[in-house]
Amino acid sequence: MNWLLSGDTPRSRVLSVLLLVIFVGLLLAPFVFPGTRSLSVAAKVAVFILLVASYDLLLGYTGIVSFAHTMFFGIGGYGVGIASAKLGATWGSLALGVFLSLVVSLILALAIGLLSLRVRAIFFAMITLAVASFFQILASQLSDFTGGEDGINFKLPAVLHNRLVCYYAVLAVATLLFLLLLRVVNSPFGRVLLSIRENEFRSEALGYRTVAYRTVANCLGAAAATAAGVLYALWLRYTGPDTTLSFNIMIDILLMVVIGGMGTLYGAAVGATLFVVAQNYLQDLMKLASDALQGLPLLPNLLHPDRWLLWLGVLFIVCVYYFPSGIVGRLRR
């Protein structure tokens, strides 16, 4: 287990139990939580754990504030979507879509890294925001290829038509890539990234080419985000601007990183799970509470399901106030 986790053990009994519950819950979700909705939530949790972990590699480990992460997420989804829709539901078209989407993402990440990472953090963030906005507009305008605002529906090879097989394929790939990211951040390369985050000038004085390291980190994060986009598109059998390229998704990723804890990939697992589950089931819980409190003044209206975003915001404020270093950071202390 120590080798599998690259020596980065949870270092907290509560965190160990929490991570075990998340993994076992995802592993047994089709049997413990039957139904289409619960399976879709479990698949989304698995995908977003990988997506948030890839962003934490940039923000938490390297100190890079990027708003272009959903662009790479979208490239993965559109890559397999366009290839499968145009060339047919074959393994060859699927492999071609994955390959081309990874190539495009790596080229863009390399270009953004080499051209922009030399500037200060706020200017880099603005550049990535502009690039992401441009890509979102491009995806909406090139309707012949991308389907425009409606997106693309596509078919998969026959084996993946079975939702159970598709779910476990998504879970297996997401778990493997998460463990690979864990290996990266606990390698000597990851230690250099941490030193750059803490003191870039001192890292340069020690002889490290910080721009090169940050560019490589940007490329690795982009590749992992692209893979997450591929998995999400395969599960949905659809890709579109609202499911992958929306700026709201970028905000959600930031919230998940902060809630779970920056600079620890376990925080991505905890933050993504809590946020996605709350996003999908908080309304149901509020409806039950509102119905149970009927007849009382004010409370039924406060707990009305339409106000779920308000309470989600309250939960986020509470998490930030009581867990300033994130849930995982607090548990490890």
Side-chain angles (χ1 to χ4, degrees), residues 77-333:
Y78 274 103
V80 294
I82 294 172
S84 298
K86 301 294 183 182
L87 303 177
T90 65
W91 289 106
S93 61
L94 196 61
L96 180 63
V98 173
F99 175 74
L100 291 178
S101 60
L102 284 172
V103 169
V104 171
S105 291
L106 288 174
I107 290 174
L108 286 174
L110 183 63
I112 292 172
L114 293 178
L115 295 176
S116 307
L117 284 174
R118 295 179 183 274
V119 301
R120 293 182 181 274
I122 185 62
F123 298 108
F124 174 74
M126 293 300 100
I127 290 171
T128 57
L129 179 60
V131 173
S133 299
F134 170 76
F135 191 86
Q136 185 175 9
I137 294 170
L138 195 65
S140 299
Q141 295 298 319
L142 297 178
S143 55
D144 291 339
F145 291 98
T146 64
E149 295 293 338
D150 296 329
I152 304 173
N153 290 293
F154 57 93
K155 295 181 179 180
L156 299 175
V159 176
L160 295 177
H161 283 179
N162 186 309
R163 299 302 278 174
L164 196 61
V165 173
C166 189
Y167 172 76
Y168 279 112
V170 168
L171 179 60
V173 175
T175 303
L176 177 61
L177 292 178
F178 180 85
L179 292 176
L180 286 176
L181 286 177
L182 201 60
R183 181 61 56 90
V184 168
V185 298
N186 288 286
S187 67
F189 173 79
R191 301 304 178 193
V192 176
L193 294 183
L194 287 174
S195 71
I196 293 173
R197 182 195 68 184
E198 295 300 324
N199 194 318
E200 183 176 353
F201 296 107
R202 184 173 294 176
S203 299
E204 288 181 347
L206 290 172
Y208 295 110
R209 299 181 62 183
T210 57
V211 173
Y213 276 90
R214 294 173 73 187
T215 301
V216 172
N218 197 42
C219 291
L220 289 174
T226 302
V230 168
L231 295 177
Y232 200 43
L234 291 179
W235 174 253
L236 296 176
R237 303 179 194 179
Y238 163 84
T239 188
D242 292 334
T243 58
T244 54
L245 294 173
S246 172
F247 188 70
N248 291 333
I249 299 176
M250 187 69 247
I251 299 301
D252 291 345
I253 295 171
L254 279 169
L255 293 178
M256 294 176 202
V257 170
V258 173
I259 290 172
M262 292 187 293
T264 164
L265 295 190
Y266 296 128
V270 174
T273 302
L274 291 177
F275 191 90
V276 172
V277 170
Q279 201 175 41
N280 285 274
Y281 291 109
L282 186 59
Q283 280 183 292
D284 295 339
L285 292 175
M286 289 179 63
K287 186 177 187 305
L288 290 174
S290 180
D291 293 341
L293 295 173
Q294 287 296 329
L296 296 177
L298 191 61
L299 286 178
N301 289 329
L302 279 176
L303 296 176
H304 194 276
D306 290 343
R307 294 181 173 83
W308 73 277
L309 276 175
L310 169 66
W311 289 103
L312 188 63
V314 170
L315 289 174
F316 174 69
I317 293 171
V318 169
C319 284
V320 172
Y321 184 79
Y322 286 102
F323 305 100
S325 57
I327 294 174
V328 171
R330 180 63 178 271
L331 291 176
R332 281 187 160 179
R333 283 208 305 268

